[in-house]
Amino acid sequence: MKMLFHNWPSSLYTPEALLASARFTLSLLPIRLAHRIQALRNLPYIVVSNPNISRIYNNYQHSLSTLLPWQGRTISNLEDEIRFTEVLAELVQTHTDTIPILARGFLECRKYISPAEVTRFLDEHLRARIGTRLVAEQHIALHFSSTPHFDPAASPTPCPEHPNYIGVIDTALRPASTIESCGGFVADICELNYGVRPEWIIDGEPDTTFAFVPMHLEYIITELLKNAFRATVENAMNREPVVITIAAEPPTPLSPTPNPRPPARRPRPPFPRESRGAFDRDALDDNAPGVTIRIRDRGGDQA
């Protein structure tokens, strides 16, 4: 994520920055797609012959074939960048249902491949897919947020129109807000299924902010709260609230100098200024504080 951010070379959504983002995206995606194709080829032939897995294999080959012609040219003008963004949008759409289709294919081939091999392949594939999709969606969001093409509502992928955002990255994401939103959603599910609505408390440093992709954090928090709430309800501990602690990590100490002085604590990055494109690059600096989130319940489970 930091690499995506630092390859956006300007605090302004200028044509030059947009072209640089397109070239950077093009330098990554063909390699990532080729690795996925090779991983599929390494599966037993009878597995790859399955219609569902073969469909995913063909999708990756098609996506790679649409990107390879771009490697022999330089994206040097906005017309090229527009066409390249259209290719990225098609790529994202093509691979929307990759994981469910693969899972169905492996289920049909369970006689020919061990569960351990399936788990290993799907885990690796899911991680790679998240990264590939993030790279593509980042440039698409930057495209529709840039000065030449500003129209977030027209973006085929998420494109938040907020001064904190650089593409799909929120540089001042407040995890407490995400926890409250996901907690309400999961509590609704519990109330529907069990007739009981668990409570939760956020302690620690709830005003902490950090740079992250909101959609990814929402997924992580939702799954952890599902486990915690279910354990709480099923063990009749619903009177005890689930406690979520948010702790900001201290900044990384600077390198020692020849005349050591007491280490000065680096101030946390300020909240971005309220104008489109105005943000603090320190949000993703190597010394920027990270955030730890701990979820505790009394149901005998732990997350």
Side-chain angles (χ1 to χ4, degrees):
M1 187 176 69
K2 185 173 69 175
M3 183 171 58
L4 290 177
F5 181 86
H6 283 300
N7 277 277
W8 181 248
S10 172
S11 61
L12 302 175
Y13 288 72
T14 61
E16 293 75 17
L18 190 62
L19 294 176
S21 171
R23 291 190 287 267
F24 172 70
T25 302
L26 180 59
S27 72
L28 292 181
L29 287 184
I31 297 172
R32 300 184 69 90
L33 294 176
H35 285 167
R36 291 299 87 217
I37 291 172
Q38 187 59 53
L40 286 162
R41 286 179 175 173
N42 289 338
L43 293 171
Y45 178 77
I46 195 170
V47 174
V48 184
S49 299
N50 175 272
N52 288 302
I53 296 178
S54 178
R55 174 183 168 186
I56 298 304
Y57 177 78
N58 291 333
N59 284 348
Y60 274 98
Q61 282 199 313
H62 169 74
S63 295
L64 182 60
S65 69
T66 62
L67 287 177
L68 286 179
W70 289 88
Q71 286 205 303
R73 58 197 291 189
T74 300
I75 302 176
S76 56
N77 56 65
L78 291 179
E79 289 74 19
D80 284 347
E81 190 276 330
I82 291 171
R83 289 193 291 271
F84 178 67
T85 302
E86 292 171 349
V87 170
L88 291 183
E90 180 191 355
L91 183 150
V92 170
Q93 181 61 37
T94 297
H95 296 276
T96 298
D97 299 321
T98 292
I99 297 300
I101 294 172
L102 278 176
R104 187 158 58 246
F106 280 122
L107 183 62
E108 295 169 354
C109 297
R110 57 187 179 275
K111 293 192 295 184
Y112 310 112
I113 186 169
S114 70
E117 289 179 283
V118 172
T119 299
R120 179 192 57 78
F121 180 90
L122 287 178
D123 284 349
E124 179 184 334
H125 195 90
L126 179 59
R127 288 193 297 270
R129 179 179 176 276
I130 289 172
T132 300
R133 190 179 184 93
L134 177 60
V135 170
E137 288 187 343
Q138 174 72 355
H139 178 74
I140 293 171
L142 291 172
H143 171 91
F144 285 98
S145 300
S146 65
T147 302
H149 314 296
F150 185 71
D151 189 6
S155 176
T157 60
C159 181
E161 185 183 354
H162 193 281
N164 295 342
Y165 278 83
I166 307 302
V168 296
I169 302 170
D170 186 350
T171 62
L173 177 61
R174 185 172 179 267
S177 299
T178 301
I179 292 167
E180 289 288 1
S181 174
C182 296
F185 170 70
V186 177
D188 287 343
I189 295 176
C190 282
E191 190 170 14
L192 180 65
N193 291 334
Y194 299 103
V196 176
R197 187 179 183 87
E199 296 182 354
W200 65 95
I201 297 173
I202 299 176
D203 66 7
E205 302 173 68
D207 292 328
T208 294
T209 63
F210 73 124
F212 205 71
V213 181
M215 187 180 301
H216 293 180
L217 183 62
E218 288 169 8
Y219 177 79
I220 294 168
I221 294 296
T222 298
E223 293 304 311
L224 292 176
L225 289 181
K226 281 181 182 178
N227 292 339
F229 283 15
R230 184 177 64 245
T232 297
V233 172
E234 291 180 350
N235 288 278
M237 298 295 293
N238 47 285
R239 291 187 178 181
E240 296 288 340
V242 174
V243 179
I244 302 104
T245 303
I246 300 173
E249 298 175 356
T252 304
L254 300 177
S255 301
T257 59
N259 298 314
R261 298 178 181 177
R265 291 182 63 85
R266 178 175 178 170
R268 290 182 52 208
F271 198 86
R273 298 186 299 277
E274 291 296 321
S275 60
R276 187 170 69 85
F279 58 91
D280 183 6
R281 295 192 75 87
D282 285 346
L284 284 173
D285 187 83
D286 287 338
N287 291 318
V291 174
T292 299
I293 301 174
R294 181 174 67 176
I295 300 176
R296 292 171 290 169
D297 62 71
R298 300 294 183 88
D301 193 8
Q302 73 180 34

